[in-house]
Amino acid sequence: HPKLADVIDPLRSLEMILKEKGLKRLKYEGRDKDEAVVKPDGKWYNDHINYAQHVYAYFMCFECKNPYFGGAKECDDGSGDEVNKEELICGKCQKIESIDECKEHGEEYLAYKCRYCCTMSVFHCWGKVHFCRNCHQPGVWDKLSTYSTGKNKKALEDYPQCDGIRKQIQTLMKNPLWHKWSRDKKDEEVYKLRAIPELCPLATKHPPNGFEFGLGCTLCADKKTEEENKKARAKVEQELRDRLSKIMPFMKNVASGTKFVHKHPLDENGILFFFGTKGTKDPNKYTNPAKLGMVIVNTSEMMPDSQPYSAFIGRQCVRCVTKPSASCWFSVDYIDKYIKPSHYTLRHYISWDTEALRNWILEASFDGHSWQTLRAHRNDTQLNHKGAVATWELRAKGAKYRCFRIRQIGVNSNKHYYLSCSGFEIYGDIYQIAYANPKKAISQSGQPGGEQNSEPFDASLTGQVPWDNEPVNSGGKGSGAPGSKGTSGATPQDSGADEESQDMALLREMARQEKQRLIHHLSAGNGYPFYYTKDFDECGILHFLGTDWRTAPWKNPAEMGVVTVTSSRLGKDSLPATAICGRGVGRCVCMAEKNNWFMIDFRNLYIRVTHYTLRHYDSWDTECLRNWVIEGSIDGERWLVLRQHQNDQALNYKGQAYTWALHDYGCAFRRLRIKQTGPNNNNHYFLACSGFECYGTLYKEDNTDIEGNFTKAYNEQQKMKQLSLVRFWQMLSAGQAGVYHFTYSEDFDENGILYFLGSQGGQKGWKNPALTDEVAVCSSALVKDSTEISYFVGRDTVRLVTKPEDNAWMQVDFKDKLIQPSYYTLKHYLSWDTECLRNWILQASNDGIHWVTVKKHEEDSALSEKGASHTWPVQSRGAYRIWRIKQTGLNSNKHKYLACSGIEFYGQLFLTKFDPLAGVSNRPQCEKMMKSLKFLHKAKFQQNNDKNGVVYYVGTRGGRSNWVNPGARKWIVTDGSSLMRDSQPAYALCGRISVRCVTQPLENSWMKVDFKNLYIVPTHYSLRHYISWD
């Protein structure tokens, strides 16, 4: 109602803000790749908005009245305690006195300590509390802090403290006044204490655990001048060096270039073992160096039952495993030390012989941002039992790196995506100042590290080189792992600006040499792999081409002339089509026409593509792609469909990006094309796209196998399409059950369901399926000069029109077949441009009596002339046998004639063959019994938990008595797989109240209802979730 606008509009605005925040948070944390939204059987498949609302909690700030991120809902401890709204304060409105603010930058650039232990924080929950990974684990955090408000659950003196402050608190508690002080006074006195840095793992003078504390200001990205930038960076780096020098004094005796030589896997010669023994190499003195703060270990999300992520570099074999998701990873950051690696070792975890690594890469980084692949593993089977250890040799080309990362790029040995690893070690030369003498890095032979030119090219090397506008020593945060919110780790400086510029010159020279080696490698007919890590990363092929093979700052490769972009007609205010190869977000959109497309021609390069990324434009959250295909071609005439998207809801707001995996057809393509096959999410035909990237293996044109492989794959796809149609027709003819999806391309193409039935699966010339009895058609009364109703499912444009009556209709019955359409097409009749449909509904039924309205049209002017056709998307919640169009108002000429000369459906066609006695051993006896059954009652569904159902009928003895649970009385037999100990009995399944009824967490769990001497012909069934949890 208009009078409610003042109330509703602010709520709608708030809803849109929360949806946008949720989607951005989902993307930021990488949870848009969770199985729940990526896998077709996931509960939230392609529904990112509702998944974000399901996962995240937002609160309204009591001070500024704006919503703020409050962490994951899974962090709720389930206590149900009511929250005091006055305690809900966002980060901007908080005034936390305990944080040592940077005088210049305030709190914005602070790195934080975990509130409850002496570890760098990774999570910031409810805008209040900083947690490390261990303290953030389920079952741990909820014993420390209160959900949403961040209040401590314990007294400060009850929290574990480091050696640097524990004795001080104990001494304070011996004060005779301690027991007389109030809680506030105790907290005030405790806060005054500071840790002794020499005894603290962080080597920091911090307040007791239980207080928030900043470890120092990181580099501000928008310093006014480069000189200020360098001074601030040098200060941060010096503080970092001072802290590590206190933790690792033994490194003073280690000269730059010291070699750690591999002898056997997990020997005592590795760098991490050296750190863990504090330089003594005494196994009895070993402590995990990550726990000592000597290195920073980070990871993608871990399994709840896994050991802490620090176990990745530990010496003990334990259960250390990530959650199964795309691009799982572990990383190690050496902070201020640099390694020229020669070997690395991995160990499988302790739990099972399976789930072992098979497809992964080892990456390295100079700065924690740009990553280089040192070695790629495809179907590597060396880790084949629990605790198995293996070592691989590396060729680092003379380069030195600070960070190393193991990233999974395919399934493990059990065809899953768990990353299981309980041991990592690295060997090589260690340096405490990167490229301290860069002139020695390039020998007279012109190769990095003095390597000879005759060495064969290593296709796994993919150098990521920082440029003058992207400095190596950027003081970035964390280990550079995808989605990381980890700790700061700035790169040390060389002794002066001259040496830094020499470092950059060295890296650029290495890049130029690598380009020449790569050109030689491709010219020999070899491929060069590009692996996807995250949307619009620096690992894609277009980014590679835009940096001139990583030898120059990035430019749009289409504007450089490296690739050619063409498209269907663009909107007048659109950017050029080349914008889809750009890295920015702009308005790039085709006009509202069917079958719009963008095509990228890689000219003399070919791609065997594995992933591709699209980004929505920046104008509106609407007009997002929903129905399209990505195709590949070598000649621009024959197109191979690489992936088909039907109502794909991955893109939901302006500027959003998403990446899809593609099937490997065993061939490479010169051209890739995005082609729209249906309306967007605004039911328009605008094709809006402001970014494209692809990944896979790159080839040059002189590979003679490219055309042959493409032709083979193209012919095979055409053949399989035809064979699948023929096979499906054979199943139909044999009365077998099955399902097939028919994809819309254009109005009345040869891809529709009625065309399939009329051509017998493409085996014969088309005949009207109504004349071959594949379908039955009927209608309300036709005018005298109309053609017969069979033309309703025909291909010809004729005069087919009903009498001008209320609710005129035309209907098609698919008999023993059910369809669940995704599109349907109508065609106006032949006689006049007028009398076009304007107001009608599409309805479906399985019995011809009970009808469901699937789509409603009001003043729809899509049909505007004789013979005109149009196709509409359909969102049907079920499959039905009978479909009809029913006129609900006047046509374009203000008459009641229903004029229609053709209909077609696209979507799923189900062949139904239900035999309730299939597999029964005593079939004759059962058939006799079935014939003797007598009708007892018709139970018609009205709403959930109504009193019309069969179970309720039995529980009231046919309505003759008050309700009792028929399962409890044994009138109905209920059973199930093993129930939990605290579950109600299985007969609660038949109850009318919500209780805790739940099986044990076993595969293929089940519950069963046996109606004994009653037999049901079901039309609907209802379920209710239990009472315990959402």
Side-chain angles (χ1 to χ4, degrees):
H1 193 280
K3 291 186 177 181
L4 295 176
D6 292 341
V7 178
I8 293 176
D9 288 350
L11 296 176
R12 285 177 174 166
S13 176
L14 177 61
E15 180 185 25
M16 293 304 296
I17 291 172
L18 291 175
K19 285 182 177 180
E20 182 177 358
K21 284 179 176 286
L23 284 170
K24 289 181 177 179
R25 171 63 59 172
L26 203 70
K27 183 73 174 175
Y28 172 73
E29 295 188 356
R31 299 197 66 174
D32 56 336
K33 304 293 192 304
D34 283 3
E35 291 186 358
V37 288
V38 173
K39 287 194 172 183
D41 58 349
K43 181 178 179 181
W44 309 98
Y45 179 57
N46 280 342
D47 189 0
H48 292 77
I49 291 178
N50 286 323
Y51 183 58
Q53 292 176 336
H54 170 73
V55 169
Y56 297 127
Y58 284 85
F59 302 100
M60 190 70 76
C61 177
F62 185 77
E63 297 284 342
C64 65
K65 308 302 180 186
N66 288 320
Y68 68 93
F69 177 61
K73 288 182 180 177
E74 64 191 21
C75 293
D76 191 348
D77 58 6
S79 63
D81 295 341
E82 187 173 349
V83 177
N84 184 352
K85 293 183 179 180
E86 295 182 4
E87 296 176 350
L88 297 177
I89 309 295
C90 69
K92 292 182 179 179
C93 296
Q94 291 181 67
K95 296 179 177 61
I96 305 174
E97 297 177 0
S98 63
I99 294 181
D100 298 331
E101 292 192 7
C102 168
K103 295 180 180 179
E104 185 175 358
H105 306 117
E107 299 175 13
E108 188 173 1
Y109 297 98
L110 285 175
Y112 290 85
K113 166 188 168 295
C114 173
R115 182 189 283 191
Y116 300 107
C117 71
C118 292
T119 310
M120 303 288 283
S121 70
V122 178
F123 297 94
H124 187 202
C125 296
W126 319 306
K128 298 173 181 294
V129 185
H130 289 87
F131 290 101
C132 67
R133 282 191 178 273
N134 288 338
C135 293
H136 190 264
Q137 291 287 340
V140 178
W141 73 264
D142 52 337
K143 295 179 176 62
L144 304 172
S145 191
T146 304
Y147 177 72
S148 76
T149 64
K151 276 191 170 183
N152 290 331
K153 283 193 172 181
K154 299 180 181 181
L156 291 170
E157 62 271 18
D158 293 335
Y159 286 111
Q161 305 289 342
C162 71
D163 293 340
I165 202 168
R166 184 186 303 113
K167 290 183 179 180
Q168 299 179 53
I169 295 177
Q170 292 172 351
T171 302
L172 179 64
M173 292 175 65
K174 293 178 182 178
N175 188 317
L177 299 176
W178 174 263
H179 297 290
K180 297 181 180 179
W181 289 340
S182 65
R183 182 70 260 170
D184 290 343
K185 176 63 174 177
K186 289 179 179 178
D187 292 348
E188 180 182 345
E189 293 299 321
V190 170
Y191 175 68
K192 293 178 181 178
L193 305 177
R194 288 295 183 270
I196 301 172
E198 290 77 10
L199 300 178
C200 172
L202 287 175
T204 303
K205 190 177 180 180
H206 64 81
N209 293 336
F211 290 104
E212 288 287 303
F213 182 71
L215 292 172
C217 182
T218 58
L219 181 63
C220 178
D222 55 355
K223 296 288 291 181
K224 294 181 179 179
T225 67
E226 182 60 23
E227 188 61 33
E228 290 175 333
N229 195 338
K230 288 182 178 180
K231 288 180 181 179
R233 184 170 58 201
K235 181 181 178 181
V236 171
E237 291 166 358
Q238 189 58 49
E239 291 175 356
L240 186 60
R241 287 195 188 101
D242 292 343
R243 184 184 304 162
L244 288 172
S245 66
K246 295 175 182 178
I247 298 174
M248 307 175 72
F250 58 89
M251 288 302 296
K252 295 178 181 178
N253 301 321
V254 179
S256 285
T258 298
K259 295 182 180 295
F260 290 79
V261 181
H262 172 263
K263 288 187 177 180
H264 57 82
L266 290 183
D267 54 23
E268 296 178 358
N269 298 330
I271 294 173
L272 288 169
F273 182 81
F274 180 75
F275 286 1
T277 60
K278 298 182 180 179
T280 65
K281 293 193 175 182
D282 183 352
N284 297 322
K285 296 182 179 180
Y286 174 82
T287 304
N288 189 316
K291 294 182 178 180
L292 296 173
M294 296 177 179
V295 297
I296 298 171
V297 176
N298 217 329
T299 177
S300 53
E301 195 169 0
M302 302 286 285
M303 290 293 291
D305 60 348
S306 171
Q307 292 295 311
Y309 56 93
S310 59
F312 171 62
I313 63 170
R315 302 291 287 185
Q316 184 180 0
C317 190
V318 296
R319 177 173 174 79
C320 184
V321 56
T322 70
K323 286 186 176 181
S325 62
S327 295
C328 302
W329 52 271
F330 284 103
S331 69
V332 184
D333 186 345
Y334 288 82
I335 308 177
D336 69 338
K337 298 165 188 67
Y338 294 77
I339 297 168
K340 184 169 72 173
S342 63
H343 298 77
Y344 83 103
T345 301
L346 293 179
R347 179 174 57 200
H348 190 42
Y349 73 167
I350 195 64
S351 302
W352 305 97
D353 292 337
T354 57
E355 313 296 350
L357 274 165
R358 287 295 178 266
N359 303 280
W360 78 97
I361 55 178
L362 172 69
E363 298 175 301
S365 174
F366 184 86
D367 60 354
H369 292 285
S370 298
W371 292 87
Q372 174 177 345
T373 301
L374 299 186
R375 181 157 186 153
H377 300 260
R378 287 287 187 182
N379 296 319
D380 191 321
T381 60
Q382 294 196 54
L383 301 176
N384 49 29
H385 60 84
K386 55 187 178 183
V389 185
T391 298
W392 294 267
E393 185 178 0
L394 299 171
R395 289 180 293 164
K397 308 300 180 187
K400 309 175 189 73
Y401 305 98
R402 191 190 91 198
C403 308
F404 295 87
R405 182 169 70 188
I406 297 295
R407 183 163 60 84
Q408 191 165 246
I409 58 173
V411 295
N412 61 30
S413 62
N414 205 25
K415 308 301 182 185
H416 294 156
Y417 286 91
Y418 298 99
L419 171 50
S420 308
C421 191
S422 179
F424 173 86
E425 184 59 277
I426 199 154
Y427 304 83
D429 303 347
I430 191 167
Y431 298 80
Q432 299 195 61
I433 297 178
Y435 300 110
N437 191 355
K439 296 180 180 179
K440 293 183 179 179
I442 300 181
S443 69
Q444 293 180 353
S445 65
Q447 297 301 313
E451 297 177 10
Q452 298 302 312
N453 224 352
S454 59
E455 181 182 334
F457 176 76
D458 185 352
S460 70
L461 290 173
T462 55
Q464 302 280 347
V465 180
W467 305 112
D468 293 335
N469 60 338
E470 300 175 7
V472 171
N473 300 314
S474 59
K477 294 181 180 179
S479 64
S484 171
K485 294 176 283 184
T487 57
S488 64
T491 304
Q493 293 296 292
D494 292 340
S495 57
D498 291 340
E499 291 192 359
E500 180 180 352
S501 63
Q502 289 173 339
D503 287 348
M504 300 303 299
L506 167 69
L507 290 171
R508 284 194 292 270
E509 178 61 25
M510 291 172 62
R512 283 190 286 269
Q513 294 172 6
E514 195 67 23
K515 176 182 177 181
Q516 295 304 315
R517 291 162 65 93
L518 176 55
I519 291 173
H520 176 73
H521 176 77
L522 292 179
S523 299
N526 301 306
Y528 184 74
F530 293 79
Y531 300 111
Y532 166 76
T533 60
K534 60 182 178 180
D535 299 345
F536 289 104
D537 51 22
E538 296 181 357
C539 304
I541 293 174
L542 284 171
H543 186 273
F544 172 78
L545 297 176
T547 58
D548 190 17
W549 301 38
R550 300 193 182 104
T551 63
W554 184 86
K555 293 181 180 179
N556 187 319
E559 296 174 356
M560 293 166 60
V562 178
V563 299
T564 302
V565 180
T566 53
S567 70
S568 51
R569 292 199 303 163
L570 295 173
K572 293 181 180 179
D573 57 350
S574 170
L575 293 170
T578 54
I580 72 164
C581 293
R583 306 292 284 186
V585 184
R587 178 174 174 81
C588 186
V589 57
C590 295
M591 298 183 71
E593 299 171 344
K594 292 182 180 180
N595 299 314
N596 278 324
W597 53 272
F598 283 102
M599 187 199 52
I600 301 176
D601 185 345
F602 290 86
R603 304 176 72 168
N604 64 336
L605 297 174
Y606 292 78
I607 301 167
R608 187 169 174 174
V609 63
T610 60
H611 295 77
Y612 82 104
T613 305
L614 294 180
R615 180 170 51 215
H616 190 44
Y617 73 169
D618 71 345
S619 300
W620 306 97
D621 291 338
T622 55
E623 314 299 348
C624 298
L625 273 166
R626 286 293 179 266
N627 304 279
W628 77 97
V629 293
I630 178 171
E631 302 170 306
S633 174
I634 61 171
D635 54 15
E637 296 180 1
R638 296 171 297 165
W639 290 93
L640 190 70
V641 176
L642 305 182
R643 180 162 181 160
Q644 185 170 331
H645 301 262
Q646 292 278 354
N647 195 30
D648 190 321
Q649 301 181 38
L651 299 175
N652 293 289
Y653 57 86
K654 56 186 178 183
Q656 183 191 3
Y658 197 85
T659 299
W660 296 265
L662 297 175
H663 176 70
D664 183 7
Y665 284 92
C667 60
F669 309 96
R670 172 181 157 177
R671 297 172 175 87
L672 295 175
R673 180 172 71 178
I674 299 296
K675 182 180 178 183
Q676 195 171 32
T677 57
N680 58 34
N681 73 333
N682 207 23
N683 205 26
H684 295 155
Y685 284 88
F686 295 106
L687 170 51
C689 184
S690 179
F692 178 91
E693 184 57 279
C694 58
Y695 306 82
T697 304
L698 188 67
Y699 298 91
K700 285 202 72 175
E701 62 180 347
D702 44 10
N703 187 327
T704 56
D705 294 332
I706 286 179
E707 184 170 357
N709 290 337
F710 171 80
T711 301
K712 180 180 178 181
Y714 176 80
N715 292 338
E716 187 69 18
Q717 187 177 81
Q718 299 302 310
K719 180 181 177 181
M720 290 305 298
K721 179 180 178 181
Q722 185 59 39
L723 284 177
S724 61
L725 286 172
V726 171
R727 173 60 184 147
F728 192 65
W729 177 262
Q730 292 171 347
M731 292 170 61
L732 185 153
S733 302
Q736 299 175 349
V739 60
Y740 192 89
H741 190 91
F742 293 81
T743 304
Y744 169 78
S745 178
E746 57 186 28
D747 298 351
F748 289 102
D749 52 22
E750 297 181 357
N751 300 327
I753 294 174
L754 288 168
Y755 184 87
F756 167 80
L757 297 175
S759 63
Q760 296 187 19
Q763 298 180 92
K764 297 184 178 180
W766 187 86
K767 291 184 179 179
N768 189 313
L771 302 180
T772 58
D773 293 327
E774 294 298 334
V775 298
V777 289
C778 56
S779 68
S780 56
L782 301 175
V783 297
K784 291 184 178 180
D785 59 347
S786 171
T787 55
E788 60 184 47
I789 188 59
S790 63
Y791 282 93
F792 181 52
V793 294
R795 309 286 287 184
D796 299 324
T797 305
V798 296
R799 176 176 171 78
L800 178 59
V801 55
T802 68
K803 289 182 178 180
E805 300 172 342
D806 288 340
N807 300 316
W809 54 274
M810 295 183 182
Q811 171 183 303
V812 53
D813 185 343
F814 286 88
K815 297 187 173 182
D816 58 343
K817 300 170 284 292
L818 304 178
I819 69 167
Q820 184 172 356
S822 53
Y823 295 92
Y824 84 107
T825 305
L826 294 179
K827 180 167 58 179
H828 190 44
Y829 75 164
L830 181 64
S831 303
W832 306 97
D833 292 338
T834 56
E835 313 296 352
C836 299
L837 276 165
R838 287 294 179 266
N839 302 278
W840 78 99
I841 53 178
L842 173 68
Q843 293 185 305
S845 173
N846 279 321
D847 57 10
I849 300 173
H850 304 92
W851 292 90
V852 175
T853 298
V854 176
K855 193 172 184 70
K856 186 175 183 180
H857 301 263
E858 293 181 340
E859 298 301 328
D860 189 324
S861 58
L863 302 175
S864 55
E865 61 184 6
K866 56 186 178 183
S869 64
H870 191 80
T871 299
W872 295 266
V874 178
Q875 292 185 343
S876 174
R877 293 188 176 181
Y880 297 91
R881 188 190 99 203
I882 308 169
W883 293 80
R884 75 180 181 187
I885 56 170
K886 180 180 177 182
Q887 193 162 245
T888 56
L890 301 178
N891 62 28
S892 64
N893 206 24
K894 306 303 179 183
H895 294 156
K896 296 182 179 180
Y897 296 104
L898 169 52
C900 185
S901 179
I903 190 170
E904 182 59 279
F905 292 92
Y906 305 85
Q908 290 183 307
L909 172 62
F910 296 85
L911 307 182
T912 59
K913 183 183 179 182
F914 177 69
D915 183 2
L917 301 181
V920 174
S921 58
N922 55 341
R923 189 180 182 94
Q925 181 182 350
C926 291
E927 289 178 342
K928 182 178 180 181
M929 183 273 298
M930 292 279 283
K931 292 179 181 179
S932 67
L933 294 177
K934 296 181 180 179
F935 176 80
L936 179 63
H937 177 70
K938 185 174 182 65
K940 185 177 180 180
F941 170 79
Q942 286 188 335
Q943 62 184 18
N944 293 329
N945 210 35
D946 60 18
K947 297 182 178 181
N948 300 332
V950 175
V951 174
Y952 187 86
Y953 179 84
V954 176
T956 58
R957 309 303 281 170
R960 298 192 300 273
S961 63
N962 292 330
W963 157 262
V964 294
N965 188 319
R969 293 294 183 90
K970 305 297 185 183
W971 300 338
I972 292 176
V973 178
T974 56
D975 197 6
S977 53
S978 300
L979 298 178
M980 296 292 289
R981 291 181 180 179
D982 58 348
S983 171
Q984 293 293 316
Y987 62 71
L989 179 65
C990 298
R992 304 286 291 179
I993 59 175
S994 184
V995 297
R996 178 171 175 80
C997 185
V998 56
T999 71
Q1000 293 186 12
L1002 304 173
E1003 289 186 356
N1004 302 315
S1005 298
W1006 55 273
M1007 294 184 182
K1008 182 183 74 175
V1009 179
D1010 185 348
F1011 286 88
K1012 299 176 74 171
N1013 62 338
L1014 298 177
Y1015 293 79
I1016 318 297
V1017 181
T1019 60
H1020 298 75
Y1021 80 105
S1022 298
L1023 293 178
R1024 178 174 53 222
H1025 191 45
Y1026 76 165
I1027 193 64
S1028 302
W1029 304 97
D1030 292 338

